[in-house]
Amino acid sequence: MYDPKSSKAVEFIDHGEVLDTLEYARKNSSNAALIDSVLKKARERTGLTHREAMILLDCELEDKNEEIFALARQIKQDFYGNRIVMFAPLYLSNYCVNGCLYCPYHQKNKHIARKKLTQADIVREVTALQDMGHKRLALEAGEDPKMNPLEYILESIKTIYSIKHRNGAIRRVNVNIAATTVEDYSKLREAGIGTYILFQETYHRKSYEELHPTGPKHDYAWHTEAMDRAMEGGIDDVGLGVLFGLELFRYEFAALLMHAEHLEAVHGVGPHTISVPRIRAADDIDPDQFANGISDDQFAKIVACIRIAVPYTGMIVSTRESRECRERVLELGISQISGGSRTSVGGYYEPEVEEEDSRQFEVSDNRSLDDVIKWLIELGHIPSFCTACYREGRTGDRFMALCKSGKILNCCHPNALMTLKEYLMDYASAPTAELGNALIETEINQVPNNKIRALVAEHLVAIQRGDRDFRL
Ligand code: SF4
Ligand code: SF4
């Protein structure tokens, strides 16, 4: 029985409710009056239920679809402006005891090179990431209690935060590790993590169990209820995501929003971010073996509808997507992207060689971080290395309250300009620096509050002089 407040996965992601939602939306895919009423509610910018959002996703009326895309663009602009927050993944270890059929790190894959970073390796990797200009990382590790116990993850986080190289520092470490206990989540919180990210892969229980035939991840309830345990353990910011291509995207879309509603209903705060990865080729993995791949058009529609349904939730797209695809979805709702990513263990210090390939997936966007920054600026976006909220204690419901009041915008834009300035001073190529400085000069005039504008101008001069790490 569907119950968003239930603690049981099969009740807050009730299969019957997902199917009813899909049926309801399918029947109404050309119901102009209903679509109009959902759009009217969406324009209030307070979000939509999964059923309402599904109506928009399934809409088959061309003129209404144009309205949907226009509204997604507008909400993106109103809530996130032209800022894009940058991050990079850091793979600690690809040892894994699970049997996920879509991932090359599955235990039975004997031809992939298995690697685990030592603390000394981490220093080299993080130094290389700092030399690129990154300030925000997403840690990735396979599930292996012997090779990658929680103590190893905690020690690695401590090492990462301790590395100060030239003007570099990693200021926010987000963590993407396997579902674990409330006690372990408390330890992660104490270690100062930013967001805890765990992709659901698929919400369809039967498919989930087939795709995860062995290992602890086989347990659907344990995995799906992980965010509740994380929040119980004191982690305020959690990041959801599904791997599009494993199951039918309509099912995933409805269930993903039901999961967000569940977190809001039980913990009073929805997900901090939603990621939208699509399955990619990798060692031992052919994406064509999964019959549910989605086209770029469907992908764009999903991004637009998520943006409308959960306006306050950040949305992330990685280098799995090509430059062209990323360009399209940036304006529809994406607020964070990775750049210059390596998806192998140790790949920042030493680029992968074929015979020792440990990549989790093939990257579609292979450009350097500097190229990505330049490209964003040329498109009119402000690349931001901001990590201020987490460091100022603006997390969980405090963060959401600020978002909902619109006050967070007074911080995001100035912080984007100041962190971009740091990047331009310390890491950018001459053409990127020239473009970026011109952008900052124009954008500073967009800070509406006189006092804040003057303060930011002061800080920009100080950054030019060599000072670092200003934030609002
Ligand atoms: Fe292991 Fe995660 Fe890959 Fe599954 S998806 S095999 S849990 S690393
Ligand atoms: Fe993100 Fe907060 Fe920085 Fe805005 S001020 S970009 S919400 S960390």
Side-chain angles (χ1 to χ4, degrees), residues 41-101:
K41 182 179 172 198
R43 286 196 184 93
E44 290 166 16
R45 291 155 165 69
T46 49
L48 296 177
T49 65
H50 61 280
R51 284 206 173 211
E52 291 162 342
M54 198 69 216
I55 290 286
L56 299 189
L57 188 73
D58 267 7
C59 168
E60 285 178 347
L61 303 174
E62 211 173 303
D63 56 332
K64 300 293 167 207
N65 276 331
E66 275 169 28
E67 282 184 48
I68 291 167
F69 281 116
L71 181 57
R73 276 188 204 100
Q74 195 56 53
I75 291 178
K76 164 76 201 289
Q77 190 56 37
D78 294 348
F79 283 73
Y80 303 88
N82 50 351
R83 298 172 298 280
I84 301 289
V85 170
M86 307 302 302
F87 78 99
L90 173 61
Y91 284 76
L92 293 181
S93 164
N94 64 356
Y95 286 91
C96 191
V97 297
N98 285 310
C100 315
L101 298 186

Side-chain angles (χ1 to χ4, degrees), residues 96 98-100 102-103 105-107 141-143 201 212 217 360:
C96 191
N98 285 310
C100 315
Y102 49 83
C103 174
Y105 296 170
H106 67 82
Q107 195 184 33
E143 179 168 16
E201 321 300 3
H212 304 95
K217 197 169 169 180
Q360 192 186 28

Side-chain angles (χ1 to χ4, degrees), residues 85 136 384 386-390 394 399 408 411-412 415 472:
V85 170
R136 179 186 284 245
S384 171
C386 179
T387 55
C389 281
Y390 149 76
R394 295 191 295 253
F399 172 79
I408 195 72
C411 301
C412 298
N415 285 337
L472 300 179

Side-chain angles (χ1 to χ4, degrees), residues 166-186:
R166 299 202 182 114
N167 283 333
I170 298 302
R171 298 170 180 163
R172 179 177 177 127
V173 178
N174 297 332
V175 172
N176 182 353
I177 59 165
T180 184
T181 60
V182 173
E183 201 193 341
D184 282 357
Y185 286 124
S186 299

Side-chain angles (χ1 to χ4, degrees), residues 57 91 123 134 159 256 292 333 390 420:
L57 188 73
Y91 284 76
V123 172
H134 278 295
T159 300
L256 177 68
N292 298 312
Y390 149 76
L420 175 61

